[in-house]
Amino acid sequence: MARFLIVEARYYEKLNDKLMSGVRAALEAAGHSHESVTVPGALEIPGAIALADETERYDGYVAVGIVIRGETYHFEIVAGESARGIMALTMDGLAVGNAILTVENEEQAEVRADPKQKDKGGEAAKAAIALYDLRQRLA
């Protein structure tokens, strides 16, 4: 059994609840334990994962958040930089699943967050588990 940390940028509460439900269900179905922490926004997720990894308490991570396009360029910065930060962590060997949804509107977020529809939270948890399993196999 592995220990996973879910790092959540909790801005859209109802949508995040659905993402978190999918993440938890996938981790528990695989027999893994999990804890969760919240951060102010998606840009803080990679830093929080890096800080948590210094403790060596966790075997993998799942990043959870929702970024919805607005009227300014801020969407591109948050979407791109949070993804870049998570990719850098995976390139450093961490098992990270990315459930930071980057969407045009709330309707798209609803479909992707809902475990009964696209279940992007569950998919991200399964990706983190797959990377953890690969690391174990190659170690």
Side-chain angles (χ1 to χ4, degrees):
M1 175 172 74
R3 291 175 45 119
F4 285 82
L5 179 66
I6 307 164
V7 180
E8 177 191 22
R10 189 162 183 81
Y11 189 80
Y12 299 96
E13 288 191 20
K14 289 181 182 178
L15 294 169
N16 272 55
D17 286 345
K18 291 181 180 191
L19 275 174
M20 291 292 285
S21 177
V23 171
R24 289 184 185 115
L27 291 172
E28 290 166 8
H32 299 301
S33 67
H34 57 82
E35 297 175 33
S36 61
V37 296
T38 59
V39 295
L43 286 174
E44 289 76 34
I45 291 173
I49 292 171
L51 285 172
D53 192 59
E54 291 177 8
T55 68
E56 298 182 11
R57 290 177 48 196
Y58 302 101
D59 300 301
Y61 304 88
V62 183
V64 175
I66 299 168
V67 183
I68 299 177
R69 185 180 298 279
E71 297 176 1
T72 68
Y73 185 70
H74 186 67
F75 170 87
E76 282 83 4
I77 293 169
V78 174
E81 291 302 311
S82 63
R84 185 194 58 75
I86 290 169
M87 181 57 66
L89 293 167
T90 61
M91 296 301 290
D92 285 342
L94 299 187
V96 182
N98 186 354
I100 300 175
L101 304 183
T102 52
V103 296
E104 298 293 326
N105 52 54
E106 281 195 45
E107 293 78 25
Q108 289 179 352
E110 173 71 32
V111 169
R112 286 160 179 77
D114 190 344
K116 295 176 184 162
Q117 295 185 57
K118 295 218 178 215
D119 193 21
K120 295 300 181 180
E123 286 182 13
K126 290 174 186 173
I129 293 166
L131 290 171
Y132 165 76
D133 290 343
L134 179 62
R135 188 174 63 208
Q136 295 301 107
R137 197 170 82 229
L138 296 176

